[in-house]
Amino acid sequence: MAFFTYIIASRRNGTLYTGSTDNLIKRINEHREKRRDGFTAKHGVAILVWYEVHESRHAAFVRERQIKEWKRVWKLELIERTNPGWTDLFEKLF
């Protein structure tokens, strides 16, 4: 089983949210459809701009917490390194 740490955005250089999950497709779909009240629904954050795969839930969670502590510019650099066009990666998951 794979676990994921991910960053979603409202738009290029917009509002960012970092999370972790064991089902990336399901979780991003929840963000896109605003199925849960909260930060992402309130701020329209639903574009998958970065993710990485981990072998354990704990590793994904630790990475999520690490990134959440980062300065915004570091998060932007992380996204830009692998997704300079800020393409929505959701479709590529299929």
Side-chain angles (χ1 to χ4, degrees), residues 4-8 16-19 50-52 54 59-76 78-79 81:
F4 304 87
T5 304
Y6 64 91
I7 299 175
I8 55 177
L16 302 176
Y17 174 84
T18 304
W50 176 88
Y51 71 93
E52 66 184 16
H54 299 274
F61 179 75
V62 167
R63 181 69 162 151
E64 172 192 352
R65 292 296 172 215
Q66 177 189 44
I67 293 170
K68 283 186 173 185
E69 293 293 320
W70 286 6
K71 294 178 181 180
R72 178 179 171 80
V73 68
W74 298 350
K75 295 174 191 178
L76 296 175
L78 177 66
I79 295 164
R81 270 197 306 269

Side-chain angles (χ1 to χ4, degrees), residues 29-68:
N29 203 37
E30 289 172 349
H31 288 300
R32 292 165 74 101
E33 295 181 3
K34 300 180 182 176
R35 287 193 210 153
R36 297 183 186 184
D37 291 336
F39 181 86
T40 60
K42 179 179 177 181
H43 296 281
V45 181
I47 301 167
L48 179 63
V49 292
W50 176 88
Y51 71 93
E52 66 184 16
V53 181
H54 299 274
E55 292 185 12
S56 71
R57 184 179 312 278
H58 178 72
F61 179 75
V62 167
R63 181 69 162 151
E64 172 192 352
R65 292 296 172 215
Q66 177 189 44
I67 293 170
K68 283 186 173 185

